Amino acid sequence: MTRVLLFGASGFIGRHTRAALESDPRITEVICPDRTTYDLLDGAPELLVGKLREVAPDAVVNCVGALTGSANQLLRANTLVAVKLLEAVGTAAPRARLVRLGSAGEYGVVPSGVSVSETDPAHPVSEYGVSHLAGTRLFQLAGESGQADAVSVRVFNPIGPGMSEENLLGRAAARIRAALAGGAPEITLGPLSAYRDFVDVRDLAALIVALVLAPELRHRVFNAGSGRSVTAREAVELLAATAGYHGRIREAGAGPPRSTAVGWIRADVSRAGRELGWSPVRDLATSVKDVWAAGEAR
């Protein structure tokens, strides 16, 4: 039986991870500190050590991180938090499994048509990707050396109910909803020609549970994707069709700095299948339908 300390439970991925952990009968308790209890980004390391000693977790899951911001902000949220966790867990809960979320942005540019695997070179082309690769590499080194039972999940493009406007489909859903309400003949988004691997957040959460519960891990990095790639335009058009919106979808401006230079990405998820028995089960149409339905239910 397992006790899990989960950071970032109020975020998009964190909420679904909490639900998946709490629904598994092998997990006895999920403790979710909010930022007033302990702020993983700004809190003193000694307070984190105290929290770990108080909870005595069998696993620690970190869903705290940053998608946007300056290089300094990204490094603090995605790299230094990883360091803080490694050091604190090593001091106060050395036997705990430590799971963090990384990013497909760690890979950088991938040849068109190729499914990228965990053994492929990682050459990030953005500050965001660099910040996550540093965290992943630190976890990998700690796990391989026996310093900590640490593992990183390289998350591709997570979608699903409750996603925010920080992500493309969350942004598109908000603009389609406003256009339907106001009778607008078009919506405007950034460039939509890039190919992306959209993974349902609930499938991602299931992978995190599998990593928490695995008796042992042969590897310290796992891809979390759908294993399929479509253009961003296809995904947005599917969302528009689901919503019953028939207006024009116009492209203008630049894409997010974290992924502008990457025209193609698709995950090879065979490692998680072989070692954890995990595979994504929701298709894009199901995820998109649930993105729209969740917004309508608010």
Side-chain angles (χ1 to χ4, degrees):
M1 306 300 279
T2 303
R3 174 182 289 179
V4 180
L5 180 61
L6 171 63
F7 290 100
S10 62
F12 170 52
I13 295 175
R15 288 195 303 274
H16 289 280
T17 299
R18 179 177 187 172
L21 290 166
E22 290 180 339
S23 68
D24 194 298
R26 294 167 292 180
I27 294 173
T28 54
E29 188 177 10
V30 183
I31 300 98
C32 305
D34 60 22
R35 292 185 71 177
T36 61
T37 304
Y38 182 75
D39 187 332
L40 191 56
L41 192 61
D42 296 318
E46 58 271 20
L47 295 180
L48 177 57
V49 168
K51 174 57 70 175
L52 287 162
R53 285 182 172 146
E54 172 193 334
V55 173
D58 301 294
V60 179
V61 177
N62 178 34
C63 293
V64 174
L67 280 172
T68 60
S70 67
N72 181 59
Q73 290 168 325
L74 291 167
L75 286 167
R76 286 180 65 240
N78 301 330
T79 308
L80 296 185
V81 160
V83 175
K84 183 185 287 188
L85 281 168
L86 283 170
E87 292 179 346
V89 168
T91 298
R95 295 189 180 182
R97 171 75 46 78
L98 182 51
V99 183
R100 72 175 287 275
L101 301 183
S103 170
E106 297 171 38
Y107 288 114
V109 177
V110 175
S112 181
V114 171
S115 294
V116 66
S117 77
E118 296 90 344
T119 58
D120 287 325
H123 297 297
V125 291
S126 68
E127 293 167 343
Y128 170 77
V130 169
S131 72
H132 266 303
L133 179 59
T136 292
R137 187 64 183 134
L138 288 165
F139 264 48
Q140 194 174 21
L141 289 170
E144 291 170 352
S145 68
Q147 175 193 341
D149 188 6
V151 60
S152 282
V153 184
R154 281 183 175 147
V155 182
F156 280 62
N157 290 77
I159 61 172
M163 65 188 305
S164 76
E165 293 184 41
E166 275 194 310
N167 295 294
L168 171 65
L169 288 187
R171 191 159 54 252
R175 292 181 188 177
I176 289 170
R177 190 165 286 107
L180 286 169
E186 68 176 28
I187 64 167
T188 301
L189 295 165
L192 300 173
S193 61
Y195 282 80
R196 294 291 179 256
D197 183 328
F198 294 98
V199 60
D200 193 286
V201 67
R202 293 160 294 187
D203 287 334
L204 167 59
L207 175 56
I208 293 169
V209 173
L211 286 167
V212 164
L213 293 172
E216 57 183 280
L217 297 173
R218 289 182 54 215
H219 294 96
R220 298 295 164 178
V221 183
F222 287 85
N223 282 344
S226 69
R228 302 178 298 271
S229 192
V230 300
T231 65
R233 174 164 280 278
E234 289 175 77
V236 171
E237 287 177 346
L238 182 57
L239 178 63
T242 300
Y245 178 69
H246 305 291
R248 180 187 174 203
I249 299 169
R250 190 168 72 90
E251 300 177 42
R258 65 181 181 272
S259 59
T260 299
V262 180
W264 164 274
I265 195 79
R266 183 177 66 203
D268 178 341
V269 294
S270 58
R271 174 179 284 182
R274 287 191 310 270
E275 298 188 22
L276 302 167
W278 174 88
S279 61
V281 298
R282 294 169 180 84
D283 62 13
L284 181 61
T286 298
S287 301
V288 165
K289 178 177 133 186
D290 292 346
V291 167
W292 184 255
E296 290 290 275
R298 287 179 189 169

